[in-house]
């Protein structure tokens, strides 16, 4: 279908095509430029971080900032990455394990409170960050879970779980019922059908949902700042911000850390953004 | 068709439609038998949602009626006092609330309009047979892929009056340097630029998906009838995009309205509170000034504003669709 649509574009005059390409190149440059600047700053030697130079690769480029981030034990980069990985992986896994069965119930059953439940899941998206963070913060104080990864994971669960249920429900809705009915005829129970028919079919949706929860937790700063106050527990967003504070806008190491952290996330994101978007709209449109 | 529907005998389905004459206990038992699996599947998620969403949600309303702050929350001598609607009275009688509310609406409107306009423009340009289409799309999605914290810090660096590349470029073409982060007006422009840059890819990708689902036959038919490009856009593209755009705009509005990261990380609401929006204001009240009761009341107000907006928006777009 897309192919035939493109044929229409062949009617564009060559001037129009040139203009379109020009506009897109300018837009790409605008999208890319700040990113390139971070790489530039990360390559500067520490003496010339406050440089007025605009060239993209500084003439005196060095990897010193990367070296100090990666190997200087005072910086603690690997601790931050380890902490972030632990929090994000647990958040993503727990959210997925809890969300998948609930999403299946929302997709296939007509239980009491189904419609209000779905609307409530949607309404959680309207909460300003402080709406839940403030009470959660007080709960964590009382449970002495401040400065504790489980406390942070609990906070992230309040974001990741409703969203995961919503996305997975939208996906399960697209799987035809016939498949389960065939499984019933073969003597499977509804629970068996869920585990042996639906879950294996949903592997892409499940991994996208997990990835989404992972990325939410991975880059989160505002909640982590409130829950984790001990340096040793810092996740990378907290760590990189102190990096800036401690050396007073020492942009070299900060930029190096930013580049190192962004590369894997950006690659993951670019590979999966298509599926993520279809998941988002699926959930929203079907609602 | 779903499991529940197939499992119900026909007479039960009919009796449901006409109100079941059997006693409640019988109906309840049958409902439980039919939906036992659903409830079992829901229990784990429900427990966690109760603990992390529903209980805090109710607690927030409760907290909003007290004067809880840093000094009386865990103090052996002082207890938080019940103040009723006192916090709400304080919020609504503070003229600053209206300034910040106005700025929040401006911030949301500017951002969402720019996101949709640029997103639509780029999506329409991309939705054709271009040699470098894949490359363009990848590069244009980049701002969305980078963690927001890094985006904010990156732009903060670029807005530096002396060393930031934006001022350096402005000066190199003979324009005066702009006091980006020290003047309230320019600081607001700066955070808007950052957030617009950040939000375009989401809209672009969503709209591109919507455009690709429109069958080209509509355009062919319109061209045969002699419709201009604008007429085609107005009467084919826009109506077909609506089911995709409505949820995207609602989500975009809510996210922008509640976007704490960018402003907090670039300006912390300053200078002189000139870039404060509702969420940054309340976050600072809670975690920089430790006024918990007041901040909870403020959060409730923000939540209600958003909820009312979304209800109106959904009704308005539904109405437009029916016409």
């Amino acid at each position: 279908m897309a192919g035939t649509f493109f044929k229409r574009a062949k009617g564009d005059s060559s001037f129009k095509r040139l203009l379109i390409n020009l506009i897109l190149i300018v837009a790409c440059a605008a999208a890319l430029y700040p990113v390139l600047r971070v790489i530039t700053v990360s390559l500067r030697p520490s003496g010339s971080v406050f440089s007025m130079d605009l060239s993209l690769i500084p003439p005196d480029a060095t990897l010193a900032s990367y070296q100090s981030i990666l190997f200087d034990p005072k910086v603690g980069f690997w601790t931050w990455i380890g902490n972030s990985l632990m929090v994000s992986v647990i958040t993503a896994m727990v959210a997925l394990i809890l969300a998948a069965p609930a999403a299946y119930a929302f997709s296939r059953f007509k239980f009491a409170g189904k419609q209000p439940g779905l609307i409530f899941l949607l309404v959680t998206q309207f909460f300003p960050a402080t709406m839940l963070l403030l009470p959660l913060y007080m709960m964590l104080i009382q449970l002495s879970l401040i400065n504790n990864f489980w406390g942070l994971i609990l906070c992230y669960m309040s974001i990741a779980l409703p969203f995961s249920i919503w996305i997975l429900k939208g996906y399960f809705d697209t799987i035809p019922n016939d498949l389960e009915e065939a499984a019933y005829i073969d003597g499977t129970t509804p629970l068996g059908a869920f585990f042996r028919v639906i879950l294996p079919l949903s592997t892409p949706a499940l991994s996208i949902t997990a990835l989404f929860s992972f990325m939410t937790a991975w880059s989160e700063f505002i909640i982590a700042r409130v829950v984790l106050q001990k340096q040793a527990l810092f996740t990378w967003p907290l760590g990189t911000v102190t990096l800036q504070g401690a050396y007073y806008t020492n942009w070299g190491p900060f930029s190096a850390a930013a580049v190192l952290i962004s590369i894997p996330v950006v690659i993951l994101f670019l590979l999966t953004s298509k599926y993520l978007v279809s998941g988002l709209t699926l959930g929203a449109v079907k609602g | 068709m779903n499991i529940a529907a197939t499992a119900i005998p026909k007479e039960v389905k009919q009796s449901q439609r006409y109100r079941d004459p059997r006693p409640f206990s019988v109906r309840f038992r049958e409902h439980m038998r039919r939906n036992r699996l659903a409830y079992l599947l829901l229990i784990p998620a429900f427990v966690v949602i109760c603990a992390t969403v529903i209980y805090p949600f109710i607690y927030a309303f409760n907290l909003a009626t007290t004067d809880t702050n840093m000094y009386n929350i865990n103090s052996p001598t002082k207890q938080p006092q019940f103040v009723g609607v006192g916090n709400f009275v304080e919020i609504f009688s503070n003229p600053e609330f209206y300034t910040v509310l106005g700025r929040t609406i401006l911030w949301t409107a500017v951002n969402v309009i720019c996101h949709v306009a640029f997103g639509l423009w780029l999506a329409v340009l991309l939705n054709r047979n271009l040699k470098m289409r894949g490359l363009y799309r990848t590069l244009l999605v980049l701002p969305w892929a980078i963690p927001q914290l890094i985006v904010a810090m990156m732009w903060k660096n670029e807005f530096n009056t002396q060393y930031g590349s934006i001022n350096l470029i402005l000066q190199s073409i003979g324009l005066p340097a702009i006091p980006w982060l020290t003047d309230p007006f320019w600081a607001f422009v700066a955070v808007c630029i950052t957030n617009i840059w950040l939000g375009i890819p989401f809209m672009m990708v969503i709209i591109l998906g919507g455009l690709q689902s429109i069958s080209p036959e509509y355009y062919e038919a319109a061209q045969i009838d002699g419709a201009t490009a604008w007429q085609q856009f107005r009467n084919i593209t826009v109506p077909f995009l609506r089911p995709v755009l409505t949820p995207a705009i609602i989500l975009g509005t809510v996210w922008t309205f509640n976007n704490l990261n960018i402003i907090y990380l670039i300006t912390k609401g300053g200078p002189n509170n000139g870039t404060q929006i509702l969420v940054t204001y309340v976050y600072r009240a809670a975690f920089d000034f430790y006024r918990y009761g007041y901040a909870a009341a403020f959060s409730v107000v923000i939540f209600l504003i958003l909820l009312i907006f979304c209800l109106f928006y959904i009704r308005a777009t539904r109405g437009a669709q029916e016409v």
Side-chain angles (χ1 to χ4, degrees), chain A residues 49-108:
Chain A
V49 168
F50 288 133
S51 150
M52 303 235 193
D53 183 28
L54 276 176
S55 57
L56 279 177
I57 294 177
D60 44 2
T62 126
L63 292 174
S65 296
Y66 289 92
Q67 206 169 8
S68 81
I69 279 291
L70 288 174
F71 304 117
D72 186 346
K74 275 180 286 173
V75 176
F77 181 74
W78 294 108
T79 318
W80 306 333
I81 295 292
N83 292 345
S84 277
L85 262 181
M86 195 166 104
V87 171
S88 318
V89 168
I90 296 177
T91 303
M93 287 299 115
V94 175
L96 190 68
I97 291 167
L98 294 174
Y104 185 67
F106 271 114
S107 170
R108 293 293 200 266

Side-chain angles (χ1 to χ4, degrees), chain A residues 98-204:
Chain A
L98 294 174
Y104 185 67
F106 271 114
S107 170
R108 293 293 200 266
F109 290 88
K110 283 182 184 160
F111 53 89
K114 173 181 171 173
Q115 217 47 39
L118 272 177
I119 291 171
F120 183 78
L121 289 181
L122 192 63
V123 166
T124 58
Q125 295 295 307
F126 297 171
F127 292 166
T130 46
M131 178 108 186
L132 295 184
L133 177 55
L134 196 55
L136 278 170
Y137 174 65
M138 301 195 161
M139 282 165 58
L140 295 184
I141 291 179
Q142 267 150 23
L143 299 168
S144 47
L145 282 176
I146 293 289
N147 281 323
N148 183 315
F149 288 140
W150 290 105
L152 189 61
I153 291 166
L154 212 60
C155 290
Y156 288 162
M157 216 42 76
S158 71
I159 305 169
L161 189 52
F163 206 87
S164 302
I165 296 178
W166 187 254
I167 291 206
L168 284 178
K169 188 241 168 211
Y171 185 79
F172 290 153
D173 283 348
T174 64
I175 301 178
N177 244 106
D178 312 359
L179 293 167
E180 287 142 287
E181 275 157 25
Y184 296 152
I185 292 167
D186 294 343
T188 318
T189 59
L191 192 64
F194 171 60
F195 278 110
R196 267 173 270 145
V197 178
I198 299 297
L199 283 187
L201 272 176
S202 318
T203 322

Side-chain angles (χ1 to χ4, degrees), chain B residues 236-253:
Chain B
I236 301 173
T237 312
V238 172
F240 272 107
L241 278 183
R242 193 168 281 139
V244 183
L245 264 181
T246 303
I249 288 177
I250 292 180
L251 268 181
T253 306

Side-chain angles (χ1 to χ4, degrees), chain A residues 5 12 21 177 184 222 225, chain B residues 1 3 127-128 136 283:
Chain A
F5 185 31
D12 293 341
N21 275 297
N177 244 106
Y184 296 152
I222 294 289
R225 174 182 170 271
Chain B
M1 284 284 266
I3 294 176
N127 190 33
R128 65 191 73 227
Y136 287 142
Y283 186 78

Side-chain angles (χ1 to χ4, degrees), chain A residues 214-227:
Chain A
F214 176 87
M215 297 231 266
T216 312
W218 175 255
S219 332
E220 207 287 326
F221 170 76
I222 294 289
I223 299 174
R225 174 182 170 271
V226 172
V227 178

